[in-house]
Amino acid sequence: MTRLGAIISAVIVLAVIGFASMLSFGPAPATPKQAGVSRDVPAPASTPTTSEGLRVPVAGVPRSAIRDSWGEAREGGARGHHGTDIMARAGTPVIAAADGWVEKLFESGRGGTTLYQRSADRRWTYYYAHLAGYAPGVREGMRVRAGQVLGYVGDTGDAGAGNYHLHFGLTRMHGDERWWQGDNVNPYPLLARQPAGR
């Protein structure tokens, strides 16, 4: 084989590998009626956004106060918890954990008043649930910056009256998946550790 032939063969192999990596061979994605995303995966070794990491999405809550509630039994053990609950007083501002845009404002039985934020690179969705309400001017499609107020801590949905907290979820997205699809990822390790360079 000539050198040119070897180079062409290598380019073809790389193109095939690249194309195959864009395909999804997992189970069919969930629908909104299935109440959320379809698969669970371990937390990534690095942050899903930048070297700055995720901000704690409840104003004034230190990283040390966050407890890992991933996988805890819900509904009498019928399902596991897919997120991190951050306890706070009613009405405490809920802030964007990273840059991105508001993809969906949604009312659900479990999550109550919820907000789905897509990351700036479209690879992640941040899920904010049990909100008391949205911040003034928050709307679908708007760009948000890390630290921007999105809403307020509440007890809507299945949180239980007086059980004020933010349920924060993290979903790894693939291609053009919609706001309710993707892979559940435990956000706790990304919220509890100090971002790089601080």
Side-chain angles (χ1 to χ4, degrees), residues 8-196:
I8 291 172
S9 295
V11 168
I12 291 171
V13 168
L14 290 175
V16 169
I17 291 171
F19 177 74
S21 71
M22 292 186 291
L23 299 176
S24 175
F25 296 102
T31 64
K33 291 182 181 176
Q34 293 171 308
V37 293
S38 59
R39 301 169 299 271
D40 296 343
V41 296
S46 61
T47 61
T49 53
T50 68
S51 61
E52 292 299 312
L54 292 177
R55 290 199 183 197
V56 174
V58 180
V61 173
R63 293 181 188 281
S64 60
I66 300 172
R67 187 178 66 78
D68 189 0
S69 55
W70 179 267
E72 290 180 351
R74 296 292 190 266
E75 297 176 5
R79 64 181 179 89
H81 188 240
H82 292 158
T84 296
D85 287 342
I86 303 172
M87 309 311 287
R89 291 183 182 206
T92 302
V94 171
I95 60 175
D99 294 347
W101 76 89
V102 176
E103 186 163 17
K104 185 71 175 175
L105 303 177
F106 188 69
E107 291 289 331
S108 76
R110 286 183 180 159
T113 302
T114 66
L115 184 148
Y116 292 79
Q117 177 197 342
R118 186 69 69 109
S119 65
D121 62 9
R122 298 188 51 81
R123 295 186 299 173
W124 300 91
T125 295
Y126 312 111
Y127 174 62
Y128 308 82
H130 308 308
L131 301 174
Y134 304 116
V138 168
R139 66 190 185 290
E140 290 180 9
M142 72 178 283
R143 291 276 176 193
V144 295
R145 302 288 296 170
Q148 183 174 340
V149 177
L150 301 175
Y152 305 95
V153 170
D155 61 356
T156 59
D158 68 0
N163 184 22
Y164 299 109
H165 68 282
L166 172 71
H167 169 98
F168 181 76
L170 177 64
T171 307
R172 181 182 293 137
M173 307 304 285
H174 305 280
D176 290 329
E177 287 180 318
R178 303 287 306 279
W179 52 274
W180 70 85
Q181 298 171 316
D183 297 332
N184 290 309
V185 174
N186 184 356
Y188 174 77
L190 303 174
L191 295 172
R193 74 170 180 237
Q194 289 295 329

